[in-house]
Amino acid sequence: MLPNHQLISLTNVKGIGPRRIREILRQFPTLEDLSHLSILDLKQIKGITHDMAQNIVNLDEDFGRIALDKTSELDGRYLSFNSDEYPHLLKMIYDAPIGIFVKGKIPQDSLKIGIVGTRSVSAYGKRMTAKITESLIHKNISIISGFARGVDTISHTICIEHKSPTVAVLGTGLDVCYPLENKKLQKTILEHGALLTEFVPGTKPDAMNFPKRNRIISGLSKGVVVIEAGKKSGALITAYSALDQNRDVFALPGHADSKQSFGTHKLIQNGAKLIMDAEDILIEYNIESNSTQTTLFTDLSDLEKKVVNLLDNDPIHIDKLCLKLDMDSPQVLSVLLSLELKNVIYQHPGKFFSLV
């Protein structure tokens, strides 16, 4: 097997991606140093041109050495495709990275589900992301996401709040935080989970990096949940990568005229599994669901039940609730606060409330 610094340096050769590197290793299974190959040897491999072969022979090995040194300084590690630590599910996809840079601990034994969606998430999307994530992690399911604004950030944050493992797949190097406002989240993820990327330290958030990142999110996951996605959302790239990788795709429906739900509705039309809550995902994997909502409702006071019966998934303003209950605002707010603490209802901006 080639040394790690040569594998990393190979990824920096124009036109040489993971599949061609694996083809080199298949053609020369006992190869321990790239310097043993000639241009003629390399040109025998399908897809490798004379220019590519020349660039490989003249490989800048310092590129890989510097990447490994920086990774070590960051308290990270590099896992090559043949490493025992390299995630098994990821190894199964046809264009799996030849190696990954990791900081933290990748959960090994748990079922892993990817949760992705739009950066400009709606109030409905925020609520459902939090609800679905929380329900899944209570069943010891590890969450994989892409560290982006919106749905990704919410799902990672819920995991952190419940001290549950989560893996953030980055479109940058391990030492680059994008988006910048997630600096604190990046640190707290390491307490229970991991940061993972195929990009060398120092890699900036270039647009071309994120489709590559998205295939890793789905590659690490048994199934992918798409919460909300617009017409051109990167979450759709993750979903279609999941389909190509023979992974399950789950999509949350929304309002018919919602821009954020355009993508999820298209996915459902094309065969994605429609979900209404986490229970639909748990059923798919034969995991017993807890009737949390039912249990909570039996513990409610008569007044709390009365308020709950006036609520549904569409937010309603407190003034309207006061009129329907014939009660003043402080009394109703007290009941609503109690229900919110019991995770039965959700408060939206502007004193609007809905069921969780």
Side-chain angles (χ1 to χ4, degrees):
M1 183 66 178
L2 292 177
N4 285 341
H5 77 275
Q6 288 191 349
L7 287 174
I8 296 168
S9 295
L10 270 177
T11 65
N12 194 42
V13 176
K14 188 176 180 180
I16 304 295
R19 282 174 285 173
R20 286 194 175 131
I21 295 174
R22 273 194 291 275
E23 191 57 37
I24 293 172
L25 299 177
R26 273 194 287 268
Q27 292 278 350
F28 305 98
T30 60
L31 184 67
E32 294 183 351
D33 194 310
L34 276 171
S35 65
H36 297 163
L37 295 181
S38 67
I39 290 177
L40 189 60
D41 290 329
L42 289 162
K43 283 175 68 177
Q44 293 174 22
I45 299 171
K46 184 180 179 181
I48 293 186
T49 64
H50 179 84
D51 287 345
M52 289 178 190
Q54 189 153 21
N55 287 335
I56 292 171
V57 168
N58 298 323
L59 192 69
D60 176 13
E61 296 191 27
D62 284 343
F63 180 84
R65 291 192 184 99
I66 291 168
L68 288 174
D69 288 344
K70 286 184 178 178
T71 301
S72 182
E73 290 170 12
L74 293 166
D75 198 24
R77 60 200 186 281
Y78 178 77
L79 305 179
S80 72
F81 188 80
N82 288 335
S83 166
D84 291 338
E85 279 191 82
Y86 192 101
H88 175 68
L89 271 179
L90 183 60
K91 191 177 285 192
M92 293 169 64
I93 70 173
Y94 76 99
D95 58 347
I98 203 67
I100 51 177
F101 299 88
V102 179
K103 190 173 181 180
K105 186 176 180 182
I106 304 172
Q108 296 296 326
D109 301 324
S110 59
L111 173 66
K112 297 173 186 62
I113 296 292
I115 296 182
V116 295
T118 181
R119 288 169 171 79
S120 54
V121 59
S122 69
Y124 163 74
K126 290 176 183 176
R127 184 174 79 251
M128 294 305 294
T129 301
K131 181 181 177 183
I132 290 170
T133 301
E134 191 170 336
S135 297
L136 292 178
I137 62 179
H138 284 163
K139 286 299 181 179
N140 298 317
I141 293 171
S142 299
I143 302 302
I144 314 294
S145 198
F147 202 65
R149 294 182 181 96
V151 168
D152 296 21
T153 292
I154 295 166
S155 61
H156 288 309
T157 302
I158 294 295
C159 291
I160 297 306
E161 289 174 355
H162 291 272
K163 297 180 170 55
S164 178
T166 183
V167 177
V169 184
L170 310 178
T172 64
L174 287 176
D175 56 341
V176 177
C177 184
Y178 179 79
L180 195 57
E181 64 264 26
N182 278 358
K183 194 74 176 175
K184 184 178 178 182
L185 178 62
Q186 192 177 50
K187 290 179 181 177
T188 52
I189 281 174
L190 294 173
E191 294 173 12
H192 300 284
L195 304 174
L196 185 154
T197 181
E198 70 177 313
F199 301 107
V200 299
T203 302
K204 303 299 181 187
D206 292 329
M208 68 181 69
N209 295 352
F210 294 98
K212 294 178 182 178
R213 174 208 61 182
N214 293 345
R215 88 189 194 286
I216 297 178
I217 296 172
S218 53
L220 287 165
S221 308
K222 180 72 174 174
V224 172
V225 182
V226 185
I227 300 293
E228 286 184 323
K231 246 180 203 182
K232 298 181 180 179
S233 172
L236 295 180
I237 297 174
T238 309
Y240 290 122
S241 291
L243 291 171
D244 287 342
Q245 296 162 358
N246 200 28
R247 305 293 199 256
D248 299 314
V249 176
F250 304 95
L252 181 76
H255 291 294
D257 59 353
S258 168
K259 290 180 181 178
Q260 287 98 328
S261 293
F262 180 91
T264 51
H265 292 164
K266 279 293 180 186
L267 287 172
I268 292 166
Q269 286 179 335
N270 291 328
K273 296 165 187 177
L274 184 153
I275 61 166
M276 292 181 286
D277 52 32
E279 187 173 355
D280 294 323
I281 302 165
L282 298 175
I283 289 170
E284 189 69 26
Y285 299 114
N286 297 315
I287 299 172
E288 188 177 347
S289 171
N290 292 335
S291 301
T292 311
Q293 195 85 323
T294 305
T295 305
L296 284 170
F297 278 25
T298 60
D299 295 335
L300 301 182
S301 69
D302 289 343
L303 182 53
E304 286 172 335
K305 289 178 183 176
K306 192 174 180 181
V307 172
V308 166
N309 287 332
L310 293 174
L311 295 170
D312 56 26
N313 289 330
D314 290 323
I316 183 172
H317 195 267
I318 187 172
D319 290 347
K320 196 168 184 180
L321 286 172
C322 291
L323 285 172
K324 290 188 174 185
L325 292 164
D326 194 23
M327 294 170 59
D328 59 31
S329 182
Q331 287 176 295
V332 176
L333 274 174
S334 175
V335 178
L336 291 168
L337 177 60
S338 174
L339 289 170
E340 191 174 2
L341 291 172
K342 291 177 180 179
N343 200 31
V344 177
I345 68 166
Y346 181 88
Q347 181 174 178
H348 303 265
K351 296 295 181 188
F352 283 85
F353 298 85
S354 68
L355 292 178
V356 167

